[in-house]
Amino acid sequence: MKVGILGYGNLGRGVEYAVEKNDDMELVGVFTRRDPGSVSVRSGAKTYHVDDLPNMKDDIDVLIICGGSATDLPEMTPKYAGMFNVIDSFDTHARIPEHFSNVDEAAKKAGKIGIISCGWDPGMFSLNRLYSMSVLPGGKDYTFWGKGVSQGHSDAIRRIEGVKDARQYTVPVPAALDAVRSGQNPELTTRQKHTRECFVVAEDGADQEAIRQAIVTMPNYFADYDTTVTFISEEEMKRDHSGLPHGGSVIYTGETGEGNKHVIEYKLNLDSNPEFTGSVLAAYARAAYRMNKNGESGARTVFDIAPVMISPLSGDEIRAHYL
Amino acid sequence: MKVGILGYGNLGRGVEYAVEKNDDMELVGVFTRRDPGSVSVRSGAKTYHVDDLPNMKDDIDVLIICGGSATDLPEMTPKYAGMFNVIDSFDTHARIPEHFSNVDEAAKKAGKIGIISCGWDPGMFSLNRLYSMSVLPGGKDYTFWGKGVSQGHSDAIRRIEGVKDARQYTVPVPAALDAVRSGQNPELTTRQKHTRECFVVAEDGADQEAIRQAIVTMPNYFADYDTTVTFISEEEMKRDHSGLPHGGSVIYTGETGEGNKHVIEYKLNLDSNPEFTGSVLAAYARAAYRMNKNGESGARTVFDIAPVMISPLSGDEIRAHYL
């Protein structure tokens, strides 16, 4: 199975590692909007300009698109679904129906498969919401994120005047987690579910109190949360905050019979958010390839894909060893 | 969707509750090998003798078979897959390939779907082993059961002379759970993973020390575990041990990139094992019905079934609200 990677940021690098771990996959090349000569690819795979893609339709079985959800993917995924089997990690929840429909149209026209919104949330978390809800209808689902780095929130802090660098951790509130796990079905406000911990490197002479105020009052990002701001040095930032850990829990509570309670929890504890997301993309790229070989076309999500399709093993092997 | 239940023990009662919770399902009747007049069905659904089944092929969309894995299901599931879409919770892991093949042959011949080994283990636990293994190849999976009642182990104690009643709890060892969750990838013996707690009502004048010895030395069931035996009264048994709670965790640890660790845990905490298993069976009965309506036939497991097939919601609704 020949794989192309479009975009070589953190996620593209994560996919590159994942492709190496899967014996049935081969990395054809990394595609970039930059000058290909300027991009140094860790594995030594070939680099190409994105404009070379239309000439490589026969060389790539699945193109894994590693772009941003805000502007890249809404344009890129439908475009390349017209040429290749594609997969992306589109995560703007409100725009998923529109994105699905655009990819579906392009993929059907080209006779290709386009898998959207794949990763861990949306992705593995979504699967667990759906499985639980289907098994225990009428229950309640909770999603907690963290402890982990939110890149969007870190970027928002970096845009404040006087800020040199910043890292924001989303942290679930332990008391809220405990209440949900105990099956109490609490109603929780935004503030009760998560806190936000910010580590900031300020520019020399910057007004730290003004920066702190700008963060904690920022609408949408911080105003609805209990937010702590800690100023650190550049050295401390590099030493203590260079990783991109993340994770969280989907917890579902439901009842059966005469008041019997059930709690289902799916929990991720990830050292590297982009490498785990890249691993999910690689596994589902396998499904895109297989479904297309079976003659299917159009857009798909993790919900539409039988688990056996993402495994390198045969049905016989899986039933014998994993059932 | 018209559902029949074959067998009215704890699991059959669990399925009965589950069918009531799903608006798109209707319980046609309960089928039994006993005298139907002697079986009192909680919901008031009709009872039939099992021999009536061949005359009701047009009245039932899916037959949910609630028999035992030792002798009932190996015979029943292939037999009724020749007449109906069927589903069972066959859990003798070593015999799954043989059972799958028997059901596959019968179901294909009849143009029906037969889903086997559905529940939580095998079932939801199996799904989580497969998803994790596919996303993070080369990792390690651990399954812990409990705290919960093992009916097989409780029955084994009841067969000892002088025992009036017994309840056995399987309990994961906290230190083993902690070591696995921390990503240490320990090698664990049977004894290191679980302990067994037994509560026994002895007959008047029975030799309690002899009973204790018979339990803790019993091969396969107890000899390889640290087992505690507590003698209690009939009243205490009824008051404190009448439920059938169970649960456990599937924990998978894997690596990506340059030593980044990831821990995936799926955890169930169930007040009622048979009611939860019954709920899983009902959800997958929906998939059996839909797949057969789509023209498919043959044996299936949870691995072969796209998640969307078990949900009462449409693809549009699921994408908009659960992705």
Side-chain angles (χ1 to χ4, degrees), chain A residues 18-71:
Chain A
V19 168
E20 289 172 337
K21 279 248 182 167
N22 285 291
D23 298 336
D24 57 342
M25 299 183 191
E26 180 202 334
L27 181 56
V28 173
V30 169
F31 296 82
T32 176
R33 288 174 290 194
R34 295 176 268 169
D35 168 14
S38 75
V39 177
S40 157
V41 172
R42 183 192 49 78
S43 65
K46 272 196 167 178
T47 54
Y48 297 90
H49 192 266
V50 66
D51 292 343
D52 293 331
L53 274 169
N55 308 318
M56 293 182 70
K57 288 186 196 172
D58 296 334
D59 304 311
I60 295 170
D61 293 316
V62 184
L63 182 67
I64 303 182
I65 307 181
C66 303
S69 293
T71 55

Side-chain angles (χ1 to χ4, degrees), chain A residues 93-116:
Chain A
H93 288 263
R95 296 186 59 193
I96 283 175
E98 175 194 345
H99 188 56
F100 183 87
S101 155
N102 292 340
V103 174
D104 193 49
E105 196 189 328
K108 275 190 180 139
K109 209 176 282 175
K112 299 290 181 185
I113 288 283
I115 299 177
I116 67 156

Side-chain angles (χ1 to χ4, degrees), chain A residues 17 21-22 42 93 96-97 100 116-117 121-124 126-131 133-137 141 255-272 275-276 279-280 283-284 286 301-308 310-313 318-320 322-323, chain B residues 17 21-22 42 93 96-97 100 116-117 121-124 126-131 133-137 141 255-272 275-276 279-280 283-284 286 301-308 310-313 318-320 322-323:
Chain A
Y17 277 122
K21 279 248 182 167
N22 285 291
R42 183 192 49 78
H93 288 263
I96 283 175
F100 183 87
I116 67 156
S117 301
D121 195 7
M124 304 313 286
S126 323
L127 280 174
N128 278 278
R129 287 188 281 262
L130 184 67
Y131 275 121
M133 193 255 297
S134 303
V135 167
L136 294 178
D141 73 283
E255 276 191 21
T256 59
E258 315 295 332
N260 281 318
K261 287 188 180 184
H262 307 285
V263 182
I264 306 172
E265 177 167 356
Y266 179 78
K267 186 167 189 259
L268 293 176
N269 192 343
L270 312 174
D271 271 0
S272 166
E275 288 178 13
F276 186 79
S279 300
V280 180
Y284 274 91
R286 180 180 287 122
T301 73
V302 292
F303 297 145
D304 306 307
I305 297 170
V308 70
I310 70 167
S311 168
L313 303 178
I318 296 170
R319 278 189 297 276
Y322 293 90
L323 198 61
Chain B
Y17 277 121
K21 279 248 183 169
N22 285 291
R42 183 192 50 77
H93 288 262
I96 283 174
F100 184 87
I116 68 157
S117 301
D121 195 8
M124 306 312 288
S126 322
L127 281 173
N128 278 278
R129 286 187 282 261
L130 184 68
Y131 276 120
M133 192 256 294
S134 304
V135 167
L136 295 178
D141 73 284
E255 277 191 22
T256 59
E258 314 296 331
N260 282 318
K261 285 187 180 185
H262 308 284
V263 181
I264 305 172
E265 177 167 358
Y266 180 78
K267 185 166 187 261
L268 293 176
N269 193 343
L270 312 174
D271 272 359
S272 166
E275 288 177 12
F276 186 79
S279 300
V280 180
Y284 275 90
R286 180 180 287 122
T301 73
V302 293
F303 297 145
D304 306 306
I305 298 170
V308 70
I310 71 167
S311 169
L313 304 179
I318 296 170
R319 278 188 297 276
Y322 293 90
L323 199 61

